[in-house]
Every structure is written in C-alpha cells, then in structure tokens.
C-alpha cells in the first residue's frame, strides 16, 4: 500500500512538472523571451505565510549555509525541475522490486 501511495504521489508530481513546463513554455513564446517560474516565487505566491515561517525557522535553528547557498539554490530552480525530480524520486522509491529468478554460475 505504501508503494502505491509513493508512486501515486510521484506521478502527480510528474504531472505537475509537465503542466509547469507547458505554462513556462507558453509564457516564453508569448513574451518572446525565456520566462521561467522559480520554485520559491511560486511557493511565496501560493502561501506566503508558510514560506516566511520556513525561512524564519531555518535561519533560527540551522547553520547559515543551509539557507544560503543550500536551500536558496533550490528556491531559484525552475518549478518544473523541482517537481520533476521529486516526482521521479517518489516513483523510484515506490517501484516494485524485480524478482530474481535464480542465479546460475557458468563454470
């Protein structure tokens, strides 16, 4: 059941990555220049209070290098890359294991 849930979430994240890529592509074509939505910008526009709370907590409890350059580089990455990588990780973690059909040595 847990594998199914991980694959399900992973596929939704991959679908979200594809939608974000299409939106960025459409905006780029209509603007005549490259238009990329950054992960941090999207998060801040969707739920600013959680973004601010996360930043405040990280700056108060963790070393400085966790925020800059660690998390800051993730926040500046295009949203379709972040969702795609997370989705791929979830799908890979939730995949079914291959059954080994016996091992024979050639002596």
């Amino acid at each position: 059941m847990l594998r199914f849930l991980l694959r399900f979430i992973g596929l939704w994240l991959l679908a979200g990555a594809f939608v974000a890529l299409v939106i960025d592509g459409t905006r780029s074509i209509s603007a005549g220049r490259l238009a990329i939505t950054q992960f941090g910008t999207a998060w801040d526009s969707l739920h600013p209070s959680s973004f601010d709370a996360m930043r405040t907590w990280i700056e108060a409890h963790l070393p400085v290098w966790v925020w800059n350059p660690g998390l800051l580089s993730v926040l500046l990455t295009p949203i379709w890359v972040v969702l795609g990588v997370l989705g791929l990780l979830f799908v890979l973690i939730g995949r079914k294991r291959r059954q080994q059909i016996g091992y024979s040595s050639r002596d």
Side-chain angles (χ1 to χ4, degrees):
M1 181 68 181
L2 182 62
R3 287 184 188 163
F4 169 75
L5 186 62
L6 288 172
R7 284 185 307 214
F8 183 73
I9 293 170
L11 289 175
W12 274 102
L13 287 170
L14 286 172
F18 181 72
V19 169
L21 180 64
V22 169
I23 290 171
D24 280 352
T26 305
R27 285 182 41 223
S28 295
I29 290 171
S30 67
R33 61 175 179 80
L34 187 61
I36 296 174
T37 305
Q38 297 173 344
F39 178 65
T41 305
W43 184 4
D44 191 37
S45 66
L46 287 174
H47 203 270
S49 62
S50 70
F51 183 81
D52 293 336
M54 181 266 317
R55 180 176 181 169
T56 305
W57 187 87
I58 287 176
E59 289 176 345
H61 294 89
L62 298 175
V64 176
W65 59 267
V66 172
W67 178 257
N68 188 13
L71 197 56
L72 194 58
S73 62
V74 174
L75 293 172
L76 294 176
T77 306
I79 189 169
W80 56 269
V81 172
V82 174
L83 292 177
V85 168
L86 283 175
L88 185 63
L89 286 174
F90 272 68
V91 168
L92 288 176
I93 291 170
R95 73 174 188 233
K96 293 182 181 179
R97 295 185 181 165
R98 295 171 97 188
Q99 292 182 359
Q100 294 183 356
I101 307 176
Y103 179 76
S104 63
S105 62
R106 298 180 184 179
D107 291 309

